[in-house]
Amino acid sequence: MSDNDLPDNEHSENTEFDFAAAMSGVTRIKNDRADLRGQPKKLKLADDETTRYKRQMAVQDEEMMVDGLNSEVINLVETEDELIYASPGVQLKLMKRLKQGHIPWDAGLDLHGYIIDDARTELSSFIRECSNRQLRCVMVIHGKSNSVESQHALMKSYVNDWLRQMDQVIAFSSAQPKDGGTGALYVLLKRAR
């Protein structure tokens, strides 16, 4: 059987490819460098709402995040405001015990004198560490603002927002006067499963 008698697909497998014959008529390039003299094409900038929003976000100062907690306060509170928070499923009886200071706290963190960024880092570390140690209740002292009446207490406002964002925290309440009153919080952590 000769090569001419084979079907086309078997014919191509048995014969060698002649590259030189396939390249006949092709002119060889004499320069191996790119031609960079040409003007680049100008791109038309998209001008829709999404693109404008993305540009605006890109030029804003980058927000520092620590464990998912940012430095923008969402809910400003006043110095004497009592804070209370419970995630879904926390029983009312447990919240009453927490608010009355009847759940003993195992560790505490005092944020007096911290700047906001350092306080965020400390609080995040403290809650994570207490959760890892399987502590049930802790105290966080955010202090009272030495501000004029009816002004917002910044550290207290930040702590209020940050604790609500932490997965380990299931509830918190302003402390009893003997433990700092509205300048401190009892914080209840999730039980280890």
Side-chain angles (χ1 to χ4, degrees):
M1 183 186 268
S2 71
D3 281 346
N4 294 337
D5 297 336
L6 295 173
D8 284 340
N9 61 349
E10 288 182 31
H11 179 72
S12 62
E13 290 175 13
N14 289 336
T15 58
E16 289 187 32
F17 179 71
D18 186 6
F19 183 76
M23 293 290 114
S24 65
V26 174
T27 307
R28 184 179 193 102
I29 298 176
K30 294 182 172 113
N31 190 348
D32 62 352
R33 297 177 187 250
D35 181 11
L36 301 177
R37 293 174 296 180
Q39 293 293 326
K41 291 182 183 177
K42 294 202 177 197
L43 300 175
K44 182 180 177 187
L45 296 174
D47 195 29
D48 60 355
E49 188 176 333
T50 304
T51 307
R52 284 192 299 271
Y53 173 77
K54 287 179 181 177
R55 281 193 201 119
Q56 180 185 357
M57 293 297 110
V59 295
Q60 285 183 349
D61 289 342
E62 224 177 275
E63 179 65 30
M64 185 177 159
M65 300 285 282
V66 175
D67 285 346
L69 308 175
N70 65 29
S71 62
E72 287 191 27
V73 69
I74 297 166
N75 183 23
L76 290 171
V77 294
E78 292 183 16
T79 302
E80 294 303 321
D81 285 352
E82 279 198 30
L83 301 179
I84 189 161
Y85 164 80
S87 61
V90 175
Q91 296 176 350
L92 183 58
K93 185 177 178 180
L94 182 61
M95 282 305 297
K96 282 182 181 179
R97 288 185 59 224
L98 182 68
K99 188 172 176 9
Q100 293 169 350
H102 292 171
I103 300 175
W105 47 277
D106 303 308
L109 173 67
D110 187 348
L111 296 173
H112 280 107
Y114 281 91
I115 62 171
I116 298 299
D117 286 339
D118 291 345
R120 176 182 45 203
T121 303
E122 284 298 314
L123 181 64
S124 178
S125 279
F126 174 72
I127 295 295
R128 189 174 45 251
E129 164 94 16
C130 290
S131 179
N132 289 341
R133 291 177 42 203
Q134 299 183 9
L135 302 182
R136 180 70 170 144
C137 184
V138 297
M139 178 178 282
V140 175
I141 302 167
H142 46 70
K144 294 183 180 183
S145 170
N146 293 331
S147 60
V148 207
E149 190 176 316
S150 82
Q151 277 209 332
H152 302 294
L154 281 181
M155 184 65 75
K156 180 177 182 174
S157 298
Y158 279 109
V159 170
N160 179 41
D161 282 348
W162 293 331
L163 288 174
R164 291 168 190 263
Q165 296 172 42
M166 294 181 181
D167 289 336
Q168 303 94 329
V169 175
I170 60 169
F172 61 82
S173 173
S174 289
Q176 289 294 302
K178 67 182 173 91
D179 288 327
T182 58
L185 294 168
Y186 302 127
V187 181
L188 200 58
L189 303 176
K190 280 183 185 175
R191 287 191 188 274
R193 295 185 184 239

